[in-house]
Amino acid sequence: MSRYFHSVTLDTEKCKGCTNCIKRCPMEAIRVREGKAMIVQERCIDCGECIRECPNHAKIAVTDTLEKLAEYKYNIALPSPSFFGQFKEQVDIEDVFGAFSGIGFNEVFEVALAAEIVGYVVHEYLKEYKGKRPIFSSACPAVLRLMQIKFPDLLEQVAPFLTPMEVAARIAKEEASRKTGIPYEEIGAFFISPCPAKVTEMRNPMTTKHSAVNGVIGVNLIYKDIIRHLGDRHLAGGGPEQQRATKLGMAWGYVTGESKNIDAGTTLAVSGIHNVMSLLEEIERGELKDVDFIELQACTGGCVGGPLNIQNLFVGRIRLRDLIKRYGSKEAYLDEKELERIYRSNRYASTEPVEPRAIMTLDDDVSRALMKMERLDHITNELPGLDCGACGSPSCRSLAEDIIRGIAFETDCVIKLREKVKILAEEILDLARIVPPSMSDNSKKTGNSKH
Ligand code: SF4
Ligand code: SF4
């Protein structure tokens, strides 16, 4: 099993071992051992739930920094659609564009614009598609990683197209290269991300061999700098002409935006990783075959709810909707003919299938795996079933699995430990009651009496 980069990591110094995070992780990927959390790398999908949950800010997302801009001759910021919802009412999109110039970017390319293109191609694809339904969105990398591990049989139903982030990087660099004459390779495209999953996706892309994105910078990392430079409109790149996305792409910043843009037959939009999981379980059981397209977003509320965003998700959504009212009615960036040409060219189709990742198996050998499964069931039944997390594993079942894998003991369970101590104590008491033969009154045994 090849290991890959993870954006979500633990700041050991800050971790107090409180176990708050282990319950929230949808993949049961966190254990607390010796007073510190640890992430089981193979299981983590970089959804960022643990970042939200940790009261001690010990879970962090590693992202790129602005220093990386120095590696390129010309730099383009690719703000996610949700980014524009992070500011106060009076802040215009032009102000934000100007601020990007102020912190070192040469221009801004909205990912919302690329989202419109993806929306169009998926819409056309669904019109011709005759296979199993529903088709799932490929936009959220945390959801795709979840499906790789827990729902491998549904992967064939993922829309076979690149993400808006990837499409945006390609178009932005091609446009800039044509305009400036700078070679494509010397242009840097930096996604401004609301979530850690996008960092992981850039480093280990699932739908393409090589990402065209050169860096992913967390919103939390540059927000203060952007605020300081808001209104630097006089700088290059701050002009209103650079804002080209319409409401179709801008609305991808919150849940339902994507499915409304795709607008093909019956659609459904679900957000929040735990909701996504329960829906996929239903679909695995054969439900919702009559639905054409399902938008799945790991973060509650969609990308506005991303763990690296600054605003509360509801505030972010309202701000974004307000901007959509003010800016979203522009003419579409590409006309229907050009979009049709893009669709037919297959230019933004995925080049790699999203492969399953079999990390949940107990053993490579089937018969050994079956034996271990039996043992796992037995140990689980022996455990109290409280799922209290005091052992450092998220549930009794996961503790049983850890025991099978040799990384935990039955006595890690406090109740089991108590039972064992009780048995031991009783044995000690029994032993304490035993009197050596030299001191014991044998007359009772033999029945002899002095009287
Ligand atoms: S929530 Fe998890 S990472 Fe945060 S302090 Fe508690 S155990 Fe450590
Ligand atoms: S990022 Fe998500 S999957 Fe990874 S450890 Fe945190 S909660 Fe679990």
Side-chain angles (χ1 to χ4, degrees):
M1 178 63 52
S2 62
R3 287 170 67 85
Y4 63 83
F5 167 89
H6 284 283
S7 169
V8 177
T9 44
L10 177 80
D11 182 338
T12 328
E13 292 286 301
K14 288 187 180 164
C15 177
K16 304 244 189 308
C18 66
T19 73
N20 275 328
C21 55
I22 63 174
K23 291 271 174 205
R24 240 358 247 176
C25 173
M27 302 304 292
E28 297 196 323
I30 309 172
R31 302 290 182 271
V32 174
R33 298 283 182 260
E34 295 173 10
K36 300 283 175 194
M38 51 166 272
I39 300 174
V40 182
Q41 299 289 312
E42 294 74 24
R43 288 181 174 230
C44 176
I45 57 171
D46 290 285
C47 65
E49 279 294 304
C50 54
I51 296 180
R52 287 191 193 90
E53 198 64 22
C54 178
N56 301 303
H57 309 288
K59 288 277 177 29
I60 46 171
V62 175
T63 74
D64 291 305
T65 64
L66 287 172
E67 279 168 22
K68 206 172 176 196
L69 268 62
E71 294 174 21
Y72 299 89
K73 269 198 180 144
Y74 190 88
N75 289 296
I76 308 168
L78 307 173
S80 70
S82 65
F83 184 70
F84 296 98
Q86 304 302 304
F87 305 94
K88 297 227 174 291
E89 308 87 306
Q90 62 272 26
V91 175
D92 294 330
I93 289 185
E94 293 86 355
D95 296 329
V96 181
F97 275 43
F100 273 115
S101 302
I103 64 170
F105 286 97
N106 298 94
E107 66 174 83
V108 180
F109 186 98
E110 297 154 279
V111 173
L113 207 53
E116 285 174 36
I117 296 171
V118 175
Y120 181 87
V121 294
V122 176
H123 173 87
E124 291 302 300
Y125 172 76
L126 278 164
K127 281 203 304 203
E128 294 174 1
Y129 176 75
K130 297 275 180 282
K132 270 194 212 164
R133 287 176 191 251
I135 283 290
F136 303 106
S137 155
S138 61
C140 176
V143 168
L144 289 197
R145 295 208 188 272
L146 167 80
M147 292 176 77
Q148 283 185 304
I149 296 171
K150 290 210 166 192
F151 304 96
D153 293 343
L154 298 179
L155 284 172
E156 58 175 302
Q157 287 162 252
V158 172
F161 296 100
L162 300 178
T163 61
M165 168 178 92
E166 202 56 55
V167 174
R170 287 165 198 223
I171 301 178
K173 292 207 286 192
E174 283 160 8
E175 270 188 0
S177 182
R178 272 198 303 274
K179 191 168 64 188
T180 62
I182 298 171
Y184 183 94
E185 298 69 35
E186 292 176 25
I187 297 173
F190 291 83
F191 182 67
I192 311 303
S193 182
C195 79
K198 293 285 202 310
V199 188
T200 306
E201 176 57 11
M202 181 203 80
R203 308 259 182 123
N204 306 93
M206 284 172 281
T207 53
T208 177
K209 259 206 170 76
H210 303 289
S211 175
V213 182
N214 303 96
V216 175
I217 301 176
V219 172
N220 57 340
L221 211 68
I222 58 161
Y223 190 71
K224 278 192 189 145
D225 292 328
I226 290 280
I227 293 288
R228 253 191 307 124
H229 287 277
L230 277 175
D232 284 2
R233 294 189 199 184
H234 57 284
L235 293 171
E241 71 282 353
Q242 276 205 352
Q243 199 285 321
R244 297 179 289 184
T246 72
K247 61 180 174 196
L248 291 177
M250 291 169 82
W252 279 57
Y254 48 77
V255 68
T256 68
E258 179 186 359
S259 44
K260 280 188 183 152
N261 184 191
I262 286 166
D263 183 29
T266 314
T267 62
L268 181 66
V270 176
S271 73
I273 194 76
H274 295 279
N275 294 334
V276 167
M277 274 170 67
S278 63
L279 180 82
L280 290 175
E281 279 163 14
E282 290 302 317
I283 293 169
E284 253 191 348
R285 284 189 208 113
E287 294 291 341
L288 301 187
K289 283 181 183 148
D290 51 339
V291 173
D292 296 293
F293 178 80
I294 304 190
E295 169 187 343
L296 297 171
Q297 309 244 18
C299 295
T300 302
C303 294
V304 278
L308 307 186
N309 273 339
I310 304 299
Q311 286 285 9
N312 165 285
L313 84 93
F314 301 107
V315 177
R317 183 180 170 122
I318 287 290
R319 296 274 179 273
L320 191 52
R321 281 170 67 172
D322 178 46
L323 287 173
I324 289 172
K325 273 193 211 140
R326 285 159 54 204
Y327 287 82
S329 56
K330 294 195 165 195
E331 286 276 301
Y333 165 63
L334 294 175
D335 62 25
E336 184 94 17
K337 250 193 183 159
E338 180 60 10
L339 286 168
E340 172 68 15
R341 198 190 58 72
I342 289 175
Y343 172 61
R344 294 284 158 216
S345 71
N346 246 1
R347 209 163 155 213
Y348 299 126
S350 5
T351 56
E352 306 297 312
V354 184
E355 301 282 5
R357 299 185 69 234
I359 59 110
M360 308 300 261
T361 48
L362 291 170
D363 204 300
D364 291 340
D365 179 85
V366 180
S367 57
R368 274 205 304 261
L370 282 172
M371 274 160 56
K372 284 185 179 176
M373 183 56 83
E374 253 178 53
R375 223 184 118 219
L376 173 66
D377 288 340
H378 176 75
I379 297 174
T380 309
N381 291 336
E382 292 292 303
L383 291 170
L386 295 174
D387 294 337
C388 63
C391 59
S393 300
S395 62
C396 293
R397 178 91 184 164
S398 60
L399 175 63
E401 200 182 319
D402 290 347
I403 295 169
I404 299 279
R405 291 186 194 277
I407 54 169
F409 303 97
E410 202 183 36
T411 45
D412 289 346
C413 167
V414 281
I415 293 179
K416 279 294 189 192
L417 181 67
R418 203 164 148 258
E419 275 173 24
K420 285 243 156 86
V421 169
K422 196 173 156 223
I423 293 167
L424 203 62
E426 281 166 6
E427 280 176 3
I428 290 171
L429 272 178
D430 285 348
L431 285 172
R433 282 190 205 105
I434 296 173
V435 180
S438 58
M439 294 166 69
S440 66
D441 179 1
N442 286 329
S443 57
K444 282 177 191 157
K445 281 187 197 162
T446 56
N448 294 338
S449 168
K450 287 181 182 171
H451 303 287

Coordinates of all heavy atoms in Angstrom, one line a residue, residues 107-118 120 167-168 170-176 178-179 241-249 327-339 341-342 347-348:
E107 N -1.9 38.0 -10.9 CA -3.3 38.1 -11.2 C -4.1 37.1 -10.5 O -3.5 36.2 -9.7 CB -3.5 37.9 -12.7 CG -3.1 36.5 -13.3 CD -3.5 36.4 -14.7 OE1 -2.7 36.8 -15.6 OE2 -4.5 35.8 -15.0
V108 N -5.4 37.2 -10.7 CA -6.3 36.3 -10.0 C -7.2 35.6 -11.0 O -7.6 36.2 -12.0 CB -7.3 37.1 -9.0 CG1 -8.3 36.2 -8.3 CG2 -6.5 37.9 -8.0
F109 N -7.4 34.3 -10.8 CA -8.3 33.6 -11.7 C -9.3 32.9 -10.8 O -8.9 32.0 -9.9 CB -7.6 32.6 -12.6 CG -8.4 31.9 -13.6 CD1 -8.5 32.3 -14.9 CD2 -9.3 30.8 -13.2 CE1 -9.3 31.7 -15.8 CE2 -10.1 30.2 -14.1 CZ -10.1 30.6 -15.5
E110 N -10.6 33.2 -10.9 CA -11.6 32.6 -10.0 C -11.8 31.1 -10.3 O -12.1 30.8 -11.5 CB -12.9 33.3 -10.2 CG -12.9 34.7 -9.8 CD -14.0 35.5 -10.6 OE1 -13.8 35.8 -11.8 OE2 -15.1 35.6 -10.0
V111 N -11.8 30.3 -9.3 CA -12.1 28.9 -9.5 C -13.5 28.7 -9.9 O -13.9 27.8 -10.6 CB -11.7 28.1 -8.3 CG1 -12.1 26.6 -8.4 CG2 -10.2 28.1 -8.1
A112 N -14.4 29.7 -9.5 CA -15.8 29.7 -9.9 C -16.0 29.6 -11.4 O -16.9 29.0 -11.9 CB -16.5 30.9 -9.3
L113 N -15.1 30.2 -12.1 CA -15.2 30.3 -13.5 C -14.9 28.9 -14.1 O -15.7 28.4 -15.0 CB -14.0 31.2 -14.0 CG -14.2 31.9 -15.3 CD1 -15.5 32.7 -15.4 CD2 -13.0 32.9 -15.5
A114 N -13.9 28.2 -13.6 CA -13.7 26.8 -14.0 C -14.8 25.9 -13.6 O -15.2 24.9 -14.3 CB -12.4 26.3 -13.4
A115 N -15.5 26.2 -12.4 CA -16.6 25.4 -11.9 C -17.7 25.4 -12.9 O -18.4 24.4 -13.2 CB -17.0 25.9 -10.6
E116 N -17.9 26.6 -13.5 CA -19.0 26.7 -14.6 C -18.7 25.8 -15.7 O -19.6 25.2 -16.3 CB -19.1 28.1 -15.1 CG -19.7 29.0 -14.1 CD -19.7 30.5 -14.5 OE1 -19.8 30.8 -15.7 OE2 -19.5 31.4 -13.6
I117 N -17.4 25.7 -16.1 CA -17.1 24.8 -17.2 C -17.3 23.3 -16.8 O -17.9 22.5 -17.6 CB -15.6 25.0 -17.6 CG1 -15.5 26.4 -18.1 CG2 -15.1 24.0 -18.7 CD1 -14.0 26.9 -18.4
V118 N -16.9 23.0 -15.6 CA -17.1 21.6 -15.1 C -18.6 21.3 -15.1 O -19.1 20.3 -15.5 CB -16.4 21.4 -13.7 CG1 -16.8 20.0 -13.2 CG2 -14.9 21.5 -13.8
Y120 N -20.9 22.5 -16.9 CA -21.4 22.3 -18.2 C -21.1 20.9 -18.7 O -22.0 20.2 -19.2 CB -20.9 23.4 -19.2 CG -21.4 23.2 -20.6 CD1 -22.6 23.8 -21.0 CD2 -20.7 22.4 -21.5 CE1 -23.1 23.6 -22.3 CE2 -21.2 22.2 -22.8 CZ -22.4 22.8 -23.2 OH -22.9 22.6 -24.4
V167 N -9.0 22.4 -13.2 CA -9.3 23.0 -14.5 C -8.9 24.5 -14.5 O -8.3 25.0 -15.4 CB -10.8 22.9 -14.8 CG1 -11.2 23.7 -16.0 CG2 -11.2 21.4 -15.0
A168 N -9.1 25.1 -13.3 CA -8.8 26.6 -13.2 C -7.3 26.8 -13.4 O -6.9 27.7 -14.1 CB -9.2 27.1 -11.8
R170 N -5.2 25.0 -15.0 CA -4.8 24.8 -16.4 C -5.2 26.0 -17.3 O -4.3 26.5 -18.0 CB -5.4 23.5 -17.0 CG -4.8 22.3 -16.4 CD -5.5 21.0 -16.6 NE -5.0 20.1 -15.6 CZ -4.8 18.8 -15.9 NH1 -5.0 18.3 -17.1 NH2 -4.3 18.0 -15.0
I171 N -6.4 26.5 -17.2 CA -6.8 27.6 -18.0 C -6.0 28.8 -17.7 O -5.6 29.6 -18.5 CB -8.4 27.9 -17.8 CG1 -9.2 26.6 -18.2 CG2 -8.8 29.1 -18.7 CD1 -10.7 26.8 -18.0
A172 N -5.9 29.1 -16.4 CA -5.2 30.3 -15.9 C -3.8 30.4 -16.4 O -3.3 31.4 -16.9 CB -5.3 30.4 -14.4
K173 N -3.1 29.2 -16.4 CA -1.7 29.2 -16.8 C -1.6 29.4 -18.3 O -0.7 30.1 -18.8 CB -1.0 28.0 -16.3 CG -0.8 28.0 -14.8 CD 0.3 27.2 -14.2 CE 0.2 25.7 -14.3 NZ 1.2 25.0 -13.5
E174 N -2.5 28.7 -19.0 CA -2.5 28.8 -20.5 C -2.7 30.3 -20.9 O -2.0 30.8 -21.7 CB -3.5 27.9 -21.1 CG -3.1 26.4 -21.1 CD -4.3 25.5 -21.3 OE1 -5.4 26.0 -21.5 OE2 -4.1 24.3 -21.1
E175 N -3.8 30.9 -20.3 CA -4.1 32.3 -20.6 C -2.9 33.2 -20.3 O -2.6 34.0 -21.2 CB -5.3 32.7 -19.8 CG -6.6 32.5 -20.4 CD -7.7 33.2 -19.5 OE1 -7.4 33.8 -18.5 OE2 -8.9 33.1 -19.9
A176 N -2.3 33.0 -19.2 CA -1.3 33.9 -18.7 C 0.0 33.7 -19.6 O 0.7 34.7 -20.0 CB -0.9 33.6 -17.3
R178 N 0.0 32.8 -22.8 CA -0.3 33.5 -24.1 C -0.2 35.0 -24.0 O 0.4 35.7 -24.8 CB -1.8 33.2 -24.5 CG -1.9 31.9 -25.3 CD -3.3 31.9 -26.1 NE -4.4 32.0 -25.2 CZ -5.0 31.0 -24.6 NH1 -4.6 29.8 -24.7 NH2 -6.1 31.2 -23.8
K179 N -0.7 35.5 -22.8 CA -0.7 37.0 -22.6 C 0.7 37.5 -22.4 O 1.1 38.6 -22.9 CB -1.6 37.3 -21.4 CG -1.9 38.7 -21.2 CD -3.0 38.8 -20.1 CE -2.6 38.3 -18.8 NZ -3.6 38.2 -17.8
E241 N -12.5 44.1 -14.3 CA -12.7 43.2 -15.5 C -12.2 41.8 -15.2 O -12.5 40.9 -16.0 CB -11.9 43.8 -16.7 CG -10.4 43.8 -16.6 CD -9.8 44.9 -15.7 OE1 -10.6 45.8 -15.3 OE2 -8.6 44.9 -15.5
Q242 N -11.4 41.7 -14.1 CA -10.9 40.3 -13.9 C -12.0 39.4 -13.2 O -11.9 38.2 -13.1 CB -9.7 40.4 -12.9 CG -8.4 40.6 -13.8 CD -7.2 40.1 -13.1 OE1 -7.3 39.7 -11.9 NE2 -6.1 40.1 -13.8
Q243 N -13.1 40.0 -12.7 CA -14.1 39.2 -12.1 C -15.1 38.8 -13.2 O -15.8 39.5 -13.8 CB -14.9 40.1 -11.1 CG -15.7 39.3 -10.1 CD -17.0 38.7 -10.7 OE1 -17.7 39.4 -11.5 NE2 -17.3 37.5 -10.3
R244 N -15.0 37.5 -13.5 CA -15.7 37.0 -14.7 C -16.7 35.9 -14.4 O -17.5 35.5 -15.2 CB -14.7 36.5 -15.7 CG -13.8 37.5 -16.2 CD -12.8 37.0 -17.2 NE -11.7 36.2 -16.6 CZ -10.7 35.6 -17.2 NH1 -10.6 35.8 -18.5 NH2 -9.8 34.9 -16.6
A245 N -16.7 35.4 -13.2 CA -17.6 34.2 -12.9 C -19.0 34.8 -12.8 O -19.3 35.9 -12.3 CB -17.2 33.6 -11.6
T246 N -20.0 33.9 -13.1 CA -21.4 34.3 -12.9 C -21.9 33.5 -11.7 O -21.2 32.7 -11.1 CB -22.2 33.8 -14.2 OG1 -22.3 32.4 -14.2 CG2 -21.6 34.3 -15.5
K247 N -23.2 33.7 -11.5 CA -23.8 33.1 -10.3 C -23.6 31.6 -10.3 O -23.6 30.9 -9.3 CB -25.2 33.5 -10.1 CG -26.1 33.1 -11.3 CD -27.5 33.6 -11.0 CE -28.3 33.3 -12.3 NZ -29.6 33.9 -12.4
L248 N -23.6 31.0 -11.5 CA -23.5 29.5 -11.7 C -22.3 29.0 -11.0 O -22.3 28.0 -10.3 CB -23.5 29.1 -13.2 CG -24.8 29.4 -13.9 CD1 -24.6 29.0 -15.4 CD2 -25.9 28.5 -13.3
G249 N -21.2 29.6 -11.2 CA -19.9 29.2 -10.6 C -19.7 29.6 -9.2 O -19.2 28.9 -8.3
Y327 N -22.9 40.5 -8.3 CA -22.0 40.3 -9.4 C -22.4 39.1 -10.3 O -21.8 39.0 -11.4 CB -20.6 39.9 -8.8 CG -19.9 41.0 -8.1 CD1 -20.2 41.4 -6.8 CD2 -18.9 41.7 -8.8 CE1 -19.5 42.4 -6.2 CE2 -18.2 42.7 -8.2 CZ -18.5 43.0 -6.9 OH -17.8 44.0 -6.3
G328 N -23.3 38.3 -9.9 CA -23.5 37.0 -10.5 C -24.2 37.0 -11.8 O -24.4 36.0 -12.5
S329 N -24.7 38.2 -12.3 CA -25.6 38.2 -13.5 C -24.8 38.6 -14.7 O -25.4 39.0 -15.7 CB -26.8 39.2 -13.2 OG -26.2 40.4 -12.9
K330 N -23.5 38.5 -14.7 CA -22.7 38.8 -15.8 C -23.0 37.8 -17.0 O -23.5 36.7 -16.7 CB -21.2 38.7 -15.5 CG -20.8 39.7 -14.5 CD -19.3 39.8 -14.5 CE -18.9 41.0 -13.7 NZ -17.5 41.4 -14.0
E331 N -22.5 38.2 -18.1 CA -22.6 37.2 -19.3 C -21.6 36.1 -19.0 O -20.6 36.3 -18.4 CB -22.0 37.9 -20.5 CG -23.0 39.0 -21.1 CD -24.0 38.3 -22.0 OE1 -23.5 37.7 -23.0 OE2 -25.2 38.4 -21.8
A332 N -22.0 34.9 -19.4 CA -21.1 33.7 -19.2 C -19.7 34.0 -19.9 O -19.7 34.6 -20.9 CB -21.7 32.5 -19.7
Y333 N -18.7 33.5 -19.2 CA -17.3 33.7 -19.7 C -17.1 33.1 -21.1 O -16.5 33.6 -22.0 CB -16.4 33.2 -18.6 CG -14.9 32.9 -19.0 CD1 -14.1 34.0 -19.4 CD2 -14.4 31.7 -18.9 CE1 -12.8 33.8 -19.7 CE2 -13.1 31.4 -19.3 CZ -12.3 32.5 -19.7 OH -11.0 32.2 -20.0
L334 N -17.6 31.8 -21.2 CA -17.5 31.1 -22.4 C -18.9 30.9 -23.0 O -19.9 30.6 -22.3 CB -16.9 29.7 -22.2 CG -15.4 29.7 -21.8 CD1 -15.0 28.3 -21.5 CD2 -14.5 30.4 -22.8
D335 N -19.0 31.1 -24.4 CA -20.4 30.9 -24.9 C -20.6 29.4 -25.1 O -19.7 28.5 -25.0 CB -20.6 31.7 -26.2 CG -19.6 31.2 -27.3 OD1 -19.1 30.1 -27.3 OD2 -19.3 32.0 -28.2
E336 N -21.9 29.1 -25.4 CA -22.3 27.7 -25.5 C -21.5 26.9 -26.5 O -21.2 25.7 -26.2 CB -23.8 27.7 -25.9 CG -24.5 26.4 -26.0 CD -25.3 26.1 -24.7 OE1 -25.5 27.0 -23.9 OE2 -25.6 24.9 -24.5
K337 N -21.2 27.5 -27.6 CA -20.4 26.8 -28.7 C -19.0 26.4 -28.1 O -18.6 25.3 -28.4 CB -20.2 27.8 -29.8 CG -21.0 27.4 -31.1 CD -20.4 28.2 -32.2 CE -21.2 27.9 -33.4 NZ -21.1 29.0 -34.4
E338 N -18.4 27.3 -27.4 CA -17.0 27.0 -26.9 C -17.1 25.9 -25.8 O -16.3 25.0 -25.8 CB -16.5 28.3 -26.3 CG -15.1 28.2 -25.7 CD -14.0 27.8 -26.7 OE1 -14.3 27.7 -27.9 OE2 -12.9 27.5 -26.2
L339 N -18.2 26.0 -25.0 CA -18.4 25.0 -24.0 C -18.6 23.6 -24.6 O -18.0 22.6 -24.2 CB -19.5 25.3 -23.1 CG -19.3 26.5 -22.1 CD1 -20.6 27.0 -21.4 CD2 -18.3 26.1 -21.0
R341 N -17.6 22.7 -27.5 CA -16.3 22.2 -28.1 C -15.4 21.6 -27.0 O -14.8 20.6 -27.2 CB -15.6 23.4 -28.7 CG -14.5 23.1 -29.7 CD -13.7 24.3 -30.1 NE -13.1 25.0 -29.0 CZ -12.0 24.6 -28.3 NH1 -11.5 23.4 -28.6 NH2 -11.5 25.3 -27.3
I342 N -15.4 22.3 -25.8 CA -14.6 21.7 -24.7 C -15.1 20.4 -24.3 O -14.3 19.4 -24.1 CB -14.6 22.7 -23.5 CG1 -13.9 24.0 -23.8 CG2 -14.1 22.0 -22.2 CD1 -13.9 25.0 -22.7
R347 N -11.2 17.5 -22.9 CA -10.1 18.2 -22.4 C -10.0 18.1 -20.9 O -8.9 18.0 -20.3 CB -10.2 19.6 -22.8 CG -8.9 20.3 -23.0 CD -9.0 21.5 -23.8 NE -7.9 22.4 -23.4 CZ -8.0 23.7 -23.4 NH1 -9.1 24.3 -23.7 NH2 -6.9 24.3 -23.1
Y348 N -11.1 18.2 -20.2 CA -11.1 18.2 -18.8 C -11.6 16.9 -18.1 O -12.1 16.9 -17.0 CB -11.9 19.4 -18.3 CG -11.2 20.7 -18.8 CD1 -12.0 21.7 -19.4 CD2 -9.8 20.9 -18.6 CE1 -11.3 22.8 -19.9 CE2 -9.2 22.0 -19.1 CZ -10.0 23.0 -19.8 OH -9.3 24.1 -20.3

